[in-house]
Amino acid sequence: MKKRYERNMNALTAEENARLSGFRVCVVGCGGLGGYVIEFLGRLGVGHITAVDGDAFEESNLNRQLLSDEGSLGENKAEAAAKRMKDVNSNVTVSAVKKYVTDENCESILRGHHIAIDALDNVKTRRLLENTAQKLEIPLVHGAIAGWFGQVCVIMPGFPVFDKLYLGSTEPGMENELGNLPFTAAATASVQAAEATKVLLGKGSALSGKLLALDLMSQDYEVFELATQSV
């Protein structure tokens, strides 16, 4: 399909778009955030995506999770991501890892990727992901949502931020109290995908060492400093 990436031009150069096919991205969590991130990066042309999730779809996912539908209830989320991308962009390889990340497997799952995406829903596993990405010197793009609110930051090697962001907490976030809306997931995942693309292509990152807080109710967007760095 010669015109597949035609509308990526001139926002990306032809050379940049061609380079995307050589990158390996690990998306940890294939629910509300991860499903959209995989969709965006796959449509953009990222060549290899590892989709990691041990969970299966349930009815409560249908309000916001792109990869879910009434026929996929009970199906593993990572496997659904791989099936979806075969229909969307057959040039992209999605490897499904049908496991939750743990202390025992996190390093082996992340190793060999150019960047990782945090699309998780709990602080404890996010901390594990950040620690492992730091050890392997892999950039990590964090995202989280709750109700009308979302947040995104880019965590570069040598500049961890979760100790500042979560202040020692390992408890679940506010999503249990505020719920999760479909447009919050899509908006936050869009920012994650954009930041990941910039890091991969060496175009810098507006959120490197910073936190973008989105409030879709008031349409307020604020950026907070978390670490001193530049990319």
Side-chain angles (χ1 to χ4, degrees):
M1 297 184 181
K2 294 182 179 180
K3 295 186 177 181
R4 175 182 292 277
Y5 302 120
E6 181 178 68
R7 292 305 179 102
N8 287 359
M9 312 298 138
N10 294 306
L12 298 176
T13 67
E15 185 270 338
E16 286 173 334
N17 212 118
R19 287 173 56 203
L20 289 174
S21 65
F23 290 120
R24 299 177 61 89
V25 177
C26 186
V27 181
V28 184
C30 301
L33 287 172
Y36 282 106
V37 169
I38 292 167
E39 181 85 3
F40 298 149
L41 294 180
R43 287 183 182 274
L44 191 66
V46 170
H48 189 107
I49 300 170
T50 300
V52 185
D53 204 316
D55 198 12
F57 290 117
E58 56 187 47
E59 189 176 354
S60 64
N61 301 146
L62 292 172
N63 81 312
R64 70 195 183 283
Q65 297 192 14
L66 178 67
L67 299 175
S68 68
D69 55 49
E70 293 180 3
S72 68
L73 299 181
E75 183 178 355
N76 174 266
K77 295 180 181 182
E79 189 171 37
K83 290 180 180 178
R84 165 76 176 177
M85 197 48 59
K86 285 182 180 179
D87 292 333
V88 171
N89 189 348
S90 60
N91 296 323
V92 175
T93 298
V94 176
S95 299
V97 178
K98 297 184 287 184
K99 301 177 180 178
Y100 295 106
V101 292
T102 65
D103 291 331
E104 292 73 28
N105 67 19
C106 192
E107 186 171 338
S108 63
I109 289 173
L110 286 192
R111 185 180 292 111
H113 292 88
H114 296 93
I115 198 168
I117 310 294
D118 166 19
L120 292 161
D121 61 1
N122 70 90
V123 177
K124 181 178 180 181
T125 312
R126 285 193 175 108
R127 287 183 174 279
L128 170 61
L129 191 61
E130 183 191 55
N131 290 340
T132 305
Q134 289 291 306
K135 180 178 180 181
L136 297 175
E137 299 185 332
I138 297 171
L140 174 66
V141 182
H142 160 70
I145 60 173
W148 295 78
F149 306 97
Q151 64 184 36
V152 180
C153 68
V154 176
I155 306 168
M156 298 301 293
F159 297 92
V161 303
F162 283 167
D163 280 344
K164 294 181 179 180
L165 186 57
Y166 289 110
L167 301 175
S169 173
T170 59
E171 296 301 314
M174 293 294 291
E175 61 268 20
N176 290 339
E177 295 181 33
L178 300 179
N180 281 324
L181 296 169
F183 42 76
T184 311
T188 304
S190 293
V191 179
Q192 286 185 278
E195 292 299 301
T197 300
K198 290 188 286 183
V199 172
L200 289 171
L201 294 175
K203 298 173 78 70
S205 169
L207 299 180
S208 177
K210 301 177 182 179
L211 180 75
L212 170 64
L214 303 87
D215 179 347
L216 299 185
M217 175 63 79
S218 64
Q219 295 299 353
D220 286 334
Y221 300 81
E222 294 187 70
V223 176
F224 304 92
E225 293 283 346
L226 293 174
T228 303
Q229 63 186 93
S230 61
V231 296

